[in-house]
Amino acid sequence: MNSFRMRLTLILVAMIGIAVLAAGLVMGKVYRDNHQEDLQDSMVREMNIILQDVPWKQGNPDELYGYYTNEAKRIEALTGTRVTFIRADGVVLGDSDHDPKTMENHSTRAEVVKAKTGSVGRATRFSDTLHENMLYVAIAVNKDDPNSGIIRTALSLKKADESVKRMWTGLLIGLLVLFIVAGLVSYRIARNLTRPLEQITRVSKRIKNLDYRARVDFQSNDEIGELGSSINAMADSLQVQMTRIHQNERQLATVLDNMINGVVMIDAAGKIVLLNKMAEDLLGISAREQVGHHFASVKQQYELAQMIQETLERREHLREEMTFYFPEERLLDLNLVPIFEDDDDFGGVLLVLQDVTAIRRLERMRSEFVANVSHELKTPVTAVKGFAETLLGGAVDDPETARSFLQIIFDESDRLNRLIGDILELSKIESRRVPLLFSPVELSSFIGKTVELMSAEAVRKQIRVSTVVEEGLYVEADEDRLRQIIVNLLANGIAYTAEGGSVSVVVEPVHDPNLTLDDEGQENYEHIRIHISDTGMGIPKKDLPRIFERFYRVDKARSRSSGGTGLGLSIVKHLVELHKGTITVDSTLGVGTTFTIDLPVLQ
Ligand code: ADP
């Protein structure tokens, strides 16, 4: 049992016990006094009767002894009360139980002293002769005469004591019952008082153990009720705050885990305290294994450990790009920032890692592109300049030479124009500045018209162009861009095929492997496949992977004579990809080349 409740019960029981005991003592005393007073009254009445009956004689004591003793014995025989006759000076003249001559002077007995004053004298004493408690009551023979002598009666208090004892026994039993009842009632009261306190204690303990749902569920308007509602309010606000903290924590963790940069936090002692997912990936280590360990125990690049050490010592921002070879080859941009907490305390180092491999590669490609473009532009410009110079130097006077030189200048500037056009086109497509306008294109007529555009060139090179397209095939595409794709591939086919060869365009639907039928019972197709084949010279195997690169040509001289810029296939590939399609090439040297394009029917 709870000790507070125990204490409260004990205090209540003790208080009730003391009260009951005090009441008992008072009652006992009152009872005893009343009893003795009653006895005294009847004894006084008795003595008054005796005085009426026994004339008070005075004179020679020797004579009086016999008289008073006889009277005393007579009265005792009648009433059963011990009677003593005492002279005013205290000499005992007669006694019912003793020989008066052997008795000492009674002038100092309390009851005798009192009786001499004229009132009733009373005393209780243990009688040595009778070995019991006696009640003595004495009165003066003549109330108004102090020398008149005294009559005393004595009564054993044995009976009275017994009745008091009985009273006490009854009282004690009653008290005991009262005490037990009081104890039970006290326990109940204490329990009612302490129960809310115990509940509050229990709830507080649960809250301490992080169970913020715990609530006190009693209601009262007193101080304990108020305490309970304060605890509930505290738990409410704790719960709200903890929810908020957890939410923030989750948000922070989500942010950290989804960051595209790696983040590693190292405390002032060099211990890793935080490592996000990206950092795990970039460094090829696991947070579970490394958090809590010293950074030097991580077996990664030695230079990185050195940089961390340096930042810890110098407390300055460090930045460097470093190539890592594990878990794969990457160029990482490392940012090491010293952490300073509120009061300028050094808290450690924050390492932010960014994978710049792709960015650097792109940058390299861009600068290579610029170099390529400049180189490509330089060739025709040099030619134009050289022939113009020669003309100016005098060749203009020879009409035939002049004519052929001017023709070259014209061809070269035309090439330059095409080159610039293609470069602009490519950069437009690459930067996605031209939005695609998708609409359904009926392929049969579309291919027919497109092939028509190239017919003049085909006729000139005596190349037969054939098409196989099922009627009613549709694809969702930007028509102009799709035309550009087909024209470019047809132009290449015609350009790289010798006179008398042939070029073909075949369009076919690609069916869903699950073969679904539409409402009209026709098979649905998800893709459109376009093959553009020629019977030309083909492309060497080693060049195949690179022909879609900008300015890549298999044979510079041959491409130049065909008027190519080296950008055609690059543009084609980009346009196909803008349509979410794919392009592949298959070629056999001396036999021919086939480009295959797959386009989704719906964008
Ligand atoms: P170009 O303007 O030089 O034709 P492209 O990007 O269109 O540039 O083509 C790149 C290179 O791929 C060409 O220089 C050529 O060598 C080769 N090539 C493209 N199409 C064919 C083809 N149908 N047959 C053989 N070679 C081809």
Side-chain angles (χ1 to χ4, degrees), residues 9 186 192 205 277 384:
T9 311
S186 305
N192 283 347
K205 271 191 196 145
K277 231 193 222 132
V384 168

Side-chain angles (χ1 to χ4, degrees), residues 492-493 496 534 537-539 547 552-555 558-559 562 564-570 593 595:
N492 276 353
Y496 299 110
D534 60 54
M537 57 191 55
I539 305 165
I547 54 167
Y552 191 82
R553 301 181 185 94
V554 174
D555 178 341
R558 198 174 71 186
S559 164
S562 75
T565 59
L567 293 173
L569 284 182
S570 200
T593 306
F595 285 91

Side-chain angles (χ1 to χ4, degrees), residues 311 314-318 336-340 346-350:
T311 318
R314 292 193 4 216
R315 302 181 180 184
E316 276 171 14
H317 180 185
L318 276 187
L336 288 118
V337 190
I339 306 168
F340 290 102
F346 180 63
V349 175
L350 191 70

Side-chain angles (χ1 to χ4, degrees), residues 7 27 59-60 127 188 223 244-245 274 298 304 333-334 362 421 451 499 505 530 575 592:
R7 272 209 309 272
M27 269 163 69
N60 183 5
S127 160
R188 277 194 74 96
E223 288 84 346
R244 208 173 291 154
I245 289 173
L274 188 147
V298 180
L304 175 60
D333 177 38
L334 308 176
L362 216 68
V451 168
E499 287 189 7
V505 182
I530 306 171
L575 289 175

